[in-house]
Amino acid sequence: DVSAKQIATSEIRMHLEAQTASREAIEAAIEEADKGLFVSGERVTEWIESWGTENELPMPKADIGT
C-alpha cells in the first residue's frame, strides 16, 4: 500500500522538478533574447497547448532572429 507520506513526497518531488525545468527554460530564453533570437507567439502557443497531453512538445527553439 502507498502511504500518504509517499504520495506527498512524490508530489513534492514532481513540483520541484517542474520548477527546475521552468527556471532552466527561462534562463535559456533570456540567453536567446540577449542574442536577438526569439520564439514566435505561434510556437509558444503550440507548446503551451501541448502541456499535460500525451504528445507534449519540447520547449520551442527560436524561430525569429535579428
Side-chain angles (χ1 to χ4, degrees):
D1 291 336
V2 178
S3 71
K5 180 180 176 181
Q6 289 171 318
I7 293 170
T9 299
S10 176
E11 290 298 318
I12 291 168
R13 184 174 291 119
M14 288 184 347
H15 178 73
L16 292 174
E17 289 171 358
Q19 282 186 324
T20 298
S22 177
R23 183 174 35 255
E24 290 171 356
I26 290 168
E27 290 171 1
I30 290 170
E31 287 178 17
E32 287 188 357
D34 287 344
K35 295 176 189 174
L37 303 172
F38 302 91
V39 179
S40 66
E42 182 178 302
R43 294 293 165 262
V44 171
T45 299
E46 290 172 355
W47 176 50
I48 291 171
E49 288 177 349
S50 77
W51 292 356
T53 69
E54 289 183 20
N55 299 315
E56 191 167 312
L57 298 172
M59 185 176 75
K61 303 278 186 206
D63 60 344
I64 300 172
T66 56

